[in-house]
Amino acid sequence: MKVDVLVDAFRARFDAEPEVVARAPGRVNLLGAHVDYSEGQVLPAAIDRAVWVAARRVPGAETRLAALDLGEEAVFLAAAPEPPVAERAGPFSWVDYPRGLAWALRQRGIDVPPIEAVFGGDLPIGAGVSSSAALEMAFLVAWERLAGFELSGAERAQVGRTVENEYVGVQSGIMDQFASVHGREGHALLLDCRSLEHELIPTPDDLVFLVADTGVRRALASGAGFNDRKSECFDAADLLRPHLPGLSTLRDLEPADFERLQHVLKPPLDGRARHVMTECRRVLDGAEALRRGDLDRLGDLMGQSHRSSRDDYGVSIEELDVLQEAAAGADGCYGARLTGAGFGGCVTAITSKAAADQVRLQTAAVFERRFGSRPEIHACRVGDGAGVVEAG
Ligand code: GLA
């Protein structure tokens, strides 16, 4: 998105100059599917697509927001945001992210002032590349600048997670917001979701992510499916703990213990546990492969991750499987897997600049033959984390 387009839209709508423009990117997740809320390790990368917010402080009580891409507006009281989605009547909408942010900051004792803002972006919405985390982090950065407070990266990510878990009602982990805040151009991010220790690992210069969209959207806002998976992980950990007192979450499960104790877990819990256990190992292997610049190995691990997400974790759908197989089998593609929560959304394939067009064409052709429609496939590069773009 062009910043001047956003600023012009702000001027046109509010007849004033914005005081700040903030930007926060989406992310792809190379490895580490559904392990963040079990405190496992993940390997995401911020991408060069983002949400941008142009904003200024205003007197009075009302916060007034305009969503450029949707042509919609909303008003709320930042000092007294409505209660969480589950506790009120009325539909869920995009405004629940910035409104939830005001609510979550109040929980931390931070009162944010009313603002006027216009926002827009170039992330596919609800497609598994963290458009909601980007929206939260962009508004957070803007509000920090306007109100004169500053949170650490980890605190920002935690506030975003509170918005999702306690306001919107999705029991997600911390990966998306963390990647949006801590991403760096030319690097993937290895994150330990328990300690929040993280390492930026350089990615090859010509690395391209192809984000291929099934066009299928899950009702993430209701948490359906997603929250069930989290409960299953916690149930499995509860059943294992009497035998493994040192186990806090499934992240702590060792292969030998799993072999010995598998009978304690009835399907589908055994598969859920196996996925988390094997996926955490794939993340560490994949990080090592990336350090060596071995994209073939990284791509292999992505294929394994996809199959484990499908067979053991139960978060794939046919459209994702077709895209994954088509992309992974295309000439010049290192590997592919579903990205984000699954149940719809996108597959991320890794390839080189030189091969990207070829992989895109081959992948789209297979999908079109099977489903009769052409999938949107976005070519993305590794991008920078959230920040202020322009301050007045
Ligand atoms: C969504 C959630 C993340 C993570 C992924 C699955 O993107 O927001 O916290 O659980 O799904 O890896």
Side-chain angles (χ1 to χ4, degrees), residues 111-375:
D111 266 329
V112 289
I115 59 173
E116 284 173 346
V118 173
F119 73 94
D122 54 8
L123 278 167
I125 296 173
V129 288
S130 296
S131 52
S132 63
L135 187 56
E136 293 154 13
M137 293 302 100
F139 268 100
L140 180 51
V141 169
W143 243 319
E144 281 182 26
R145 178 57 68 99
L146 292 175
F149 67 98
E150 200 174 331
L151 301 181
S152 69
E155 285 170 331
R156 284 178 178 170
Q158 270 147 357
V159 170
R161 187 179 181 188
T162 303
V163 175
E164 299 283 351
N165 293 177
E166 294 176 31
Y167 196 82
V168 175
V170 181
Q171 295 309 314
S172 49
I174 201 162
M175 170 175 69
D176 302 347
Q177 291 82 1
F178 208 94
S180 181
V181 165
H182 282 280
R184 171 126 28 110
E185 201 177 335
H187 294 77
L189 180 76
L190 174 63
L191 168 67
D192 180 319
C193 297
R194 174 172 286 162
S195 66
L196 298 189
E197 272 171 41
H198 52 285
E199 176 192 342
L200 288 164
I201 303 178
T203 50
D205 281 349
D206 72 339
L207 180 67
V208 171
F209 303 127
L210 290 178
V211 178
D213 196 341
T214 60
V216 179
R217 293 292 181 266
R218 73 213 135 99
L220 181 64
S222 70
F226 193 100
N227 293 352
D228 297 339
R229 291 296 173 279
K230 180 170 176 179
S231 308
E232 288 162 358
C233 286
F234 280 56
D235 290 349
D238 287 346
L239 288 165
L240 290 168
R241 206 168 293 115
H243 309 272
L244 296 169
L247 180 137
S248 165
T249 64
L250 290 181
R251 173 233 167 101
D252 303 313
L253 187 57
E254 296 288 337
D257 290 328
F258 180 67
E259 284 306 313
R260 189 165 55 85
L261 295 168
Q262 202 174 340
H263 65 276
V264 170
L265 304 174
K266 302 277 165 282
L269 298 192
D270 52 351
R272 309 301 189 237
R274 182 166 46 228
H275 170 77
V276 175
M277 181 182 76
T278 56
E279 186 72 356
C280 288
R281 280 157 182 77
R282 279 188 287 273
V283 168
L284 299 180
D285 282 0
E288 196 41 50
L290 198 55
R291 286 189 200 100
R292 291 195 308 268
D294 185 350
L295 294 184
D296 285 317
R297 173 71 182 147
L298 180 64
D300 269 1
L301 291 162
M302 288 172 73
Q304 291 175 29
S305 167
H306 183 86
R307 290 185 286 280
S308 177
S309 301
R310 179 190 67 197
D311 302 336
D312 277 343
Y313 214 69
V315 292
S316 194
I317 59 168
E318 195 191 351
E319 287 86 343
L320 283 169
D321 296 339
V322 168
L323 277 179
Q324 191 276 337
E325 238 181 76
D331 303 327
C333 181
Y334 297 106
R337 61 172 289 268
L338 61 84
T339 197
F343 306 106
C346 294
V347 158
T348 296
I350 56 169
T351 180
S352 61
K353 249 197 226 164
D357 281 345
Q358 169 92 329
V359 174
R360 183 208 293 261
L361 284 175
Q362 290 184 16
T363 306
V366 172
F367 188 89
E368 191 170 10
R369 268 202 302 280
R370 172 70 185 79
F371 297 108
S373 64
R374 241 182 143 59

